Amino acid sequence: MSGARAQIRSLVLSGDTFDQPTEELRELQLEAAREAFTAHRERIPLLRTRAEETGVREVTALDDLVPLLFSHTSYKSYPVSLITAGRWDRLLRWYTTVSTVEPGDVDVDGVRDIDEWTDRITAAGHRPYITSGTSGKVSFLNCAAGDLSFLHDILEHLTCWPDPLPPKPTRRGYLLAPASGPMRSIDGFRWHAEIFARPGETRLLTDDPLRVSDLMSSALLRRRIAEGTATPKEISSHETASEAREAELDAAVSAIVDDIAAHRDEPLLIAGMNNQQFALIQALRARGVPDGGLHPDTLVLSGGGNKGRALPEDYQQQFAAFYDGVRRVRSYGMTELQGSCLACEKGHYHVPPWVIPLVLDQQGETLLSPEQGVVEGRFAFLDVSLEGRWGGLISGDRVLVDFSPCDCGRPGPAVLPDIQRYGDLGGDDKITCAATLDSYVRGMIHG
């Protein structure tokens, strides 16, 4: 990667990544957007088709990006039947329509399940990150080797911004996660442990890998139960397996809780999704660990993980109370982004320079972003750093973005803390372009 995109990537190593002159950064971002569009247009069939259909031949202004943005559903627009029927060649054809992977790059001969399919893509030099799959389908988001390297740089140099931690392995580590699996959070937790935890002193929730097939089959069964189409035998088998798995995880969490309580006077690394963190906090309190009772050099990583799990409305306040006085990463992000929008001293989530924020109307059709001030709408963006896929995406989040200078003294834009998913606000979360994009994909993989 060269030019403006490489220059923006290099800002992760600058004195203050999030404090760049506004006008200079806007010009650099627009040039980087042009470069990204040129680089990906010929390599990603869905982007090329979208550009041809909408008549966008080059990016001259931010408005030109809006018709080129993919829906957040585009990365799970494959038919589930390709997986259940073992059509791994067709699934690979789908994947090559939404990523820079070439069909000839990946050998799918003899693939037995979806986990082996993702392993084959990884072996070909790419990394297919997945999302949680609560809807019954996971998203597959391709990362090239350069994307993984850049993400590692972000974790090493920006953890705990605006007061970044020095990359020293001085902590005892606890990762509330499987040993491995194609999820960005799992890789991120592991890389944080490599950077900030003492060698050989990291405990995992389980030594088993996360299996995509288990994730998808459970989600699909939950959907069939909700629809009333699951058989009693399927439900009984699922409940038995789930109870056994829950018992194993409860025992693992209990052992971690005991170990944290015994070592709470040492610097610790505690990483897990929000629902896991909440359960951990409740258990530690029950063991007699008071709020603010951990070593001040403890590093806590949490976020996401709320889908399908009810947390109390004050869970963030409970996190802040229990982890009072420790180093805690506060951010707004998603798997589709490289890194996250990190919280400044005022609690506003500053957008990293390699991400161009685009606030759209609820239908995802019109750009609302002003030059200054606060705008409310659907969060969309172009991540110009990505090599493995097109970084333009329309999310499912309703946000308020402040494009004026922040109260912390740094320039905007910054996402304000009041973030909600349109799907949780009532009504249908419909994005105008989603159906069109899905129809493109169906034509490509069956053509």
Side-chain angles (χ1 to χ4, degrees):
M1 183 181 292
S2 59
R5 295 170 72 200
Q7 189 175 341
I8 284 181
R9 268 195 177 195
S10 70
L11 294 177
V12 77
L13 305 176
S14 68
D16 194 334
T17 305
F18 295 85
D19 192 8
Q20 304 299 317
T22 301
E23 292 304 320
E24 293 178 19
L25 181 59
R26 283 176 180 167
E27 291 180 11
L28 188 63
Q29 286 178 329
L30 189 57
E31 180 58 33
R34 293 189 192 100
E35 291 177 5
F37 176 57
T38 300
H40 288 310
R41 179 179 50 204
E42 298 308 315
R43 297 195 64 190
I44 301 176
L46 182 57
L47 177 61
R48 181 172 64 250
T49 301
R50 185 67 174 165
E52 291 171 353
E53 291 285 336
T54 58
V56 179
R57 293 177 173 78
E58 67 174 317
V59 175
T60 60
L62 295 185
D63 288 285
D64 295 329
L65 293 173
V66 177
L68 303 175
L69 300 174
F70 291 0
S71 160
H72 62 88
T73 63
S74 297
Y75 292 102
K76 54 183 174 185
S77 57
Y78 55 89
V80 174
S81 60
L82 298 184
I83 296 175
T84 56
R87 296 301 308 272
W88 309 118
D89 56 337
R90 286 295 183 98
L91 188 63
L92 178 62
R93 183 186 295 181
W94 166 80
Y95 196 59
T96 61
T97 68
V98 296
S99 73
T100 58
V101 175
E102 298 288 342
D105 290 347
V106 184
D107 178 11
V108 295
D109 286 345
V111 168
R112 292 167 292 183
D113 58 26
I114 188 63
D115 295 281
E116 194 165 322
W117 182 83
T118 59
D119 288 344
R120 295 289 183 90
I121 294 173
T122 302
H126 297 264
R127 182 68 162 159
Y129 280 147
I130 65 167
T131 55
S132 58
T134 51
S135 66
K137 296 173 77 175
V138 301
S139 297
F140 290 98
L141 297 147
N142 191 60
C143 288
D147 299 328
L148 300 181
S149 176
F150 181 55
L151 182 57
H152 195 280
D153 286 344
I154 294 170
L155 301 182
E156 182 173 349
H157 296 284
L158 292 180
T159 293
C160 283
W161 180 90
D163 185 18
L165 280 177
K168 295 180 180 178
T170 57
R171 297 164 181 81
R172 185 175 181 84
Y174 304 90
L175 307 186
L176 306 177
S180 61
M183 270 191 165
R184 196 188 75 166
S185 59
I186 295 175
D187 275 356
F189 291 162
R190 190 181 76 250
W191 292 338
H192 273 104
E194 291 172 359
I195 295 167
F196 298 108
R198 295 188 292 264
E201 293 192 36
T202 296
R203 301 189 63 152
L204 299 170
L205 186 62
T206 172
D207 290 325
D208 295 331
L210 178 141
R211 290 181 53 81
V212 184
S213 52
D214 292 342
L215 196 66
M216 293 191 71
S217 61
S218 295
L220 285 169
L221 182 59
R222 286 195 299 272
R223 188 166 72 180
R224 292 180 59 212
I225 291 172
E227 295 170 347
T229 58
T231 67
K233 183 177 180 180
E234 288 174 326
I235 296 172
S236 176
S237 297
H238 175 70
E239 288 177 345
T240 300
S242 296
E243 288 171 1
R245 186 62 175 160
E246 285 292 327
E248 291 177 7
L249 294 178
D250 286 346
V253 169
S254 181
I256 286 176
V257 167
D258 289 341
D259 204 73
I260 290 176
H263 293 274
R264 65 187 181 91
D265 292 330
E266 302 175 28
L268 308 176
L269 164 66
I270 303 174
M273 307 308 277
N274 283 339
N275 52 62
Q276 300 164 325
Q277 288 278 7
F278 186 76
L280 182 74
I281 287 172
Q282 299 302 99
L284 285 168
R285 283 171 168 163
R287 296 288 201 286
V289 179
D291 288 1
L294 299 181
H295 189 283
D297 202 29
T298 290
L299 170 60
V300 175
L301 311 171
S302 63
N306 297 10
K307 293 180 183 177
R309 300 289 184 95
L311 290 174
E313 290 186 3
D314 69 339
Y315 78 93
Q316 287 288 9
Q317 289 85 347
Q318 293 202 44
F319 282 9
F322 185 80
Y323 288 130
D324 183 42
V326 308
R327 306 296 297 271
R328 185 168 162 232
V329 173
R330 296 179 300 149
S331 64
Y332 163 61
M334 55 196 74
T335 304
E336 292 88 348
L337 276 176
Q338 286 282 73
S340 298
C341 304
L342 299 179
C344 68
E345 299 89 342
K346 300 297 183 179
H348 298 166
Y349 301 112
H350 285 251
V351 181
W354 50 90
V355 175
I356 302 174
L358 304 162
V359 184
L360 309 180
D361 63 353
Q362 185 172 346
Q363 291 72 37
E365 295 180 308
T366 305
L367 182 66
L368 305 177
S369 305
E371 292 293 318
Q372 296 288 325
V374 177
V375 61
E376 176 184 335
R378 186 180 290 273
F379 187 62
F381 57 85
L382 173 63
D383 186 332
V384 299
S385 74
L386 283 162
E387 297 177 352
R389 64 182 186 275
W390 172 236
L393 190 95
I394 305 173
S395 81
D397 291 351
R398 192 227 66 178
V399 297
L400 291 97
V401 178
D402 192 350
F403 288 83
S404 300
C406 180
D407 291 342
C408 72
R410 299 177 184 86
V415 181
L416 303 184
D418 184 17
I419 301 164
Q420 294 179 286
R421 294 190 65 80
Y422 276 107
D424 296 334
L425 295 174
D428 293 329
D429 179 17
K430 296 271 178 92
I431 302 175
T432 302
C433 71
T436 303
L437 290 167
D438 288 354
S439 69
Y440 288 163
V441 172
R442 285 194 296 271
M444 290 173 181
I445 62 177
H446 294 299

